[in-house]
Amino acid sequence: MNPFIYLAQHELWARLLIYSGIIELYKHDFNLFFNRENKLKTKTLVLILPLVFMLGCSMKAQETNNDTESKVKNLLSEMTLEEKIGQMTQVDFSVIAAPEQLHTDNPIDQARLENAVLTHHVGSILNVPYNKAQSIDTWRKMTQTVQTVAAKSRLKIPVIYGIDAIHGANYTQKAVLFPQAINMAATFNPELSFKEGEITAREIRASGLQWNFSPVMDIGRQPLWPRLWETYGEDVHLASVLGTSFIKGHQGDDFSAPNKAPTCLKHYVGYSFPINGKDRTPAWIGERMLREYFLPTFEAGVKAGSPTIMVNSSEVDGIPGHANYHYLTTVLRGEMGFKGFTVSDWEDIKRLYTRDKLAASEKEAVKMAVLAGIDMSMVPNDFSFYELLLELVKAGEVPIARIDEAVSRILTVKYQAGLFNTKAPALPVEGNFATPEAIETNRQAARESIVLAKNANKILPLKKESSILVTGPTANLLSVLNGGWTITWQGDEESLYPQDKLTIFEAIQLKSTGKVTYVGGNSFADQVDILKAVQEAKNYDTIVLCLGEKPYTETAGNIDSLNLDQAQINLANAMISTGKPVILVGRPRIITAIAEQVPGVILGFLPGMEGGEAIADILYGDYNPDGKLPISYPGNTNDSVMYDYKPIESYDLNAYKPLYPFGHGLSYTTFQTSGLKVDKNKINVDENITITVTVKNTGSLKGKETVLLYLNDVAASVSRPNKQLKAFKKIELNPGQSENLSFTLTPYDLSFIGIDLKRIVEPGDFKVMVGNETVNFSVMKKKF
């Protein structure tokens, strides 16, 4: 029987293959899968047709890429030098803004917008008007106004509008605002990160925006850094998994879709590890450490398809990120194969001259940055980059080939994002913005992000009829649950927060059937009346004590000390002295002395707009906590050791002794892992190895447990960490239920950066650790 006659008799498969466009191309290969009597083997058909379909899809993608490349090449050939350099220029909204007191529903000054787009050919605009969230209607009118003016330009090249939507569409009023990245990491749930990406993309597109400066792929290993909470924590594998899940949800298979948008990896590379902890200050990172800890997350983001990268605002080993040819070109382009475009961070090209003293003039700074590999400049407040780069090219100091390269990358992303399809209707607000389903997803993310760190004598969950005194500076504010980049840059304008969302106190009050009273102020800075709180405590069963930090980000949030301020310490000591049970609800500062004296500790971090209700759900047992720490919670200000410490860090008098270790998190039920096994005791250097383990709910409540798999390379030519997270799975189990889990480790998982700065797998012994069990296997030098 001829295979094509068979396909004709099976219309679904036939249409599939015809759509894939490869029946003719692969006719010979199809016949190979038939026996000599031309009888089709059913099993072979089942195996080959999905493969053929994937080949067809790959061909379609290649056709699309070729088509885009052709369009970019043709457009570039028509562009003047001025138009090209304009595409490389990004300005802040303030450059096109009308005075705040004059605008009604559209804050754009038409003349200033036309000057930017038509005279200076600006390719990108960023940021929110007047540093506060706008209504979705205002955003839609604004972005439509921008594109209408762009359509008047000679070549009608659209403007790409960028925004920091780092935990939802945080500059659009009433958007679904998720837990911050540190909390999303605590969920250990890639599916929730994927859904966050989906919802965020949908809501920024409904707002008329096209480009998201997210996710932060910096690794969070410096607790003094004021942006640590924007990261996915201290572990490379966890950050890579959660970050790439967000990207895939945000972009889908095609980020030109009306409900998808391109992402931007931040802040390449080494930004998060300043030696003094202050934002935008030097990092000293050796090449091996950089490749082991800081590059892999960005490489994962590139592989996940993120088409843009924002550059480190600081310097590494004396070289500012915006002048680092080795990082921007040799590594990012040459080694990692990044094809998209790079964008500077805020004013950082100018700062090569004004701050870093690397350049002797602003013009030299522009030359340095462009030749190092910066494609787009976040100028952001004027057209100086445009003017200076124009002079440099005309003088022959920057080759036109470099300009064409950068502009080609920018135009490619604009085509890929569907921006040239001006007839496509805007994504409707109805059904795509702040939907009940999205809000419920957000609440679930908040629940899973909260860590129950201590529960002595099963003080939690609380009985709903118990009386509760709620106090502390973070008890009755929404801003402290959300942090920076929320409604405003610093996130601290409490009056702008939605009135329908609940603080911790309000959520407890709503859920409780007993008496609930709050003693505290109306802002973070207000002093709590300690005497009043002590007096009130006599009349209540339990005290919920809410301590922590005010909202902040970037340099404005630099941390002078990880200690709580003295007023909070005094309040805590007074509450403990009442003799009533105290439940500490906190976000990171040093809490060791307090935590040791109270029976319950909940680490809330920044759980987002649904965080108040999520914390109340956990306090009362309406949700069984399952968050795990994505960082090592320090026990003291000068004791910052990561979980994947080197042997020398836990030798002699040195020790890893955090208040709570990485991966710590309690539940109202109990779990046990057992039966850890490897499928082989010996493998070759190029082989995978499969690990199995059983996890069981040994308690009396349904709950979720995250099983963490660690690996240790016992002896190597470069000192190896005591353990590194290589895989994890989160699973929900009923009481008494057990499930067998399987993990596969690849040679990459066994590798490290060797003496020659190349990634290698060395023969030798390895340990796999899950729970309290350890199993060994060996990697052989030669095939056996």
Side-chain angles (χ1 to χ4, degrees), residues 239-278:
S240 297
V241 171
L242 271 291
T244 56
S245 295
F246 177 89
I247 292 165
K248 291 172 183 177
H250 200 284
Q251 297 187 169
D253 295 326
D254 176 10
F255 57 77
S256 70
N259 60 348
K260 300 295 179 183
T263 57
C264 182
L265 310 179
K266 300 191 301 192
H267 306 81
Y268 180 84
V269 58
Y271 175 52
S272 61
F273 203 58
I275 194 167
N276 66 13
K278 306 296 185 185

Side-chain angles (χ1 to χ4, degrees), residues 125-157:
I125 299 171
L126 81 152
N127 223 340
V128 62
Y130 319 122
N131 187 33
K132 61 183 178 183
Q134 302 294 308
S135 71
I136 195 166
D137 289 339
T138 297
W139 270 122
R140 287 167 75 93
K141 288 174 183 176
M142 281 172 51
T143 52
Q144 182 58 53
T145 300
V146 170
Q147 300 306 349
T148 298
V149 170
K152 295 178 182 178
S153 65
R154 187 176 72 90
L155 295 174
K156 298 177 173 48
I157 301 175

